[in-house]
Amino acid sequence: AQTVTQSQPEMSVQEAETVTLSCTYDTSENNYYLFWYKQPPSRQMILVIRQEAYKQQNATENRFSVNFQKAAKSFSLKISDSQLGDTAMYFCAFMKGSTSGTYKYIFGTGTRLKVLA
Amino acid sequence: ETGVTQSPTHLIKTRGQQVTLRCSSQSGHNTVSWYQQALGQGPQFIFQYYREEENGRGNFPPRFSGLQFPNYSSELNVNALELDDSALYLCASSWGLRGGYEQYFGPGTRLTVT
């Protein structure tokens, strides 16, 4: 069974600074996908960034980038130039990539990020 | 393009009662997944429907049941409510069954069981 662990329950960062959120996972699958989702206080989950396990290149979306270490099963999220709107709960999620079965997210417990003015 | 919608937004029920939560998929999506998010926790997978058939279930008892309709909207039914069922229930829609396909979440229904 796959597991996702986020070891930082809460973090804070000054506006315009950089912060890194950690995520580790455990799986025996070779083909899978990893995601970071943002859940603002309004509740709606929004995809931040996605990484395919078969790609060595780390995904980047504007101010958001990941450090994907497949051998270490580590998938951290770096937020550069933090903005007040980045304040939210961040979830790391795993999804298998095989061609049969159930395609579900396995989420970590989340990291609450607060950006300080 | 219409996003995922859920109703109601909030619901208060008494222990032992039954509840039905509703979800409308994003336009063009034929797969719906339901998740339960307890306070301060990550979402936990309940079950998934693809083209009106259940396509997998998480570790939830049979009193959690669901339906998907021909228009791909979906319902989550919970019988014999327990206090621990108090949570945010999230619906997520996607297209097809393939690893890596992003699931688009609705705003959720906050269920409180007293």
Side-chain angles (χ1 to χ4, degrees), chain A residues 34-53:
Chain A
L34 296 165
F35 304 80
W36 279 98
Y37 272 89
K38 169 184 177 181
Q39 189 177 40
S42 63
R43 298 196 308 238
Q44 193 138 12
M45 298 270 270
I46 303 165
L47 178 66
V48 175
I49 199 164
R50 182 183 99 153
Q51 175 78 44
E52 294 88 342

Side-chain angles (χ1 to χ4, degrees), chain B residues 6-85:
Chain B
Q6 292 186 244
S7 62
T9 305
H10 296 90
L11 203 52
I12 300 174
K13 289 286 190 177
T14 302
R15 190 171 47 184
Q17 286 188 317
Q18 179 266 343
V19 69
T20 297
L21 310 182
R22 294 178 174 83
C23 170
S24 290
S25 305
Q26 182 159 317
S27 178
H29 287 182
N30 55 15
T31 305
V32 172
S33 303
W34 285 90
Y35 295 84
Q36 180 196 64
Q37 186 178 11
L39 198 61
Q41 299 295 315
Q44 297 290 316
F45 175 74
I46 303 174
F47 43 56
Q48 181 176 79
Y49 279 84
Y50 171 64
R51 291 185 173 181
E52 304 178 58
E53 297 287 331
E54 186 179 289
N55 182 62
R57 187 180 184 90
N59 189 27
F60 281 81
R63 58 189 186 83
F64 284 77
S65 63
L67 280 174
Q68 188 180 31
F69 300 100
N71 66 354
Y72 302 132
S73 65
S74 178
E75 285 183 355
L76 164 65
N77 299 289
V78 187
N79 293 322
L81 284 166
E82 301 177 0
L83 296 179
D84 285 349
D85 295 334

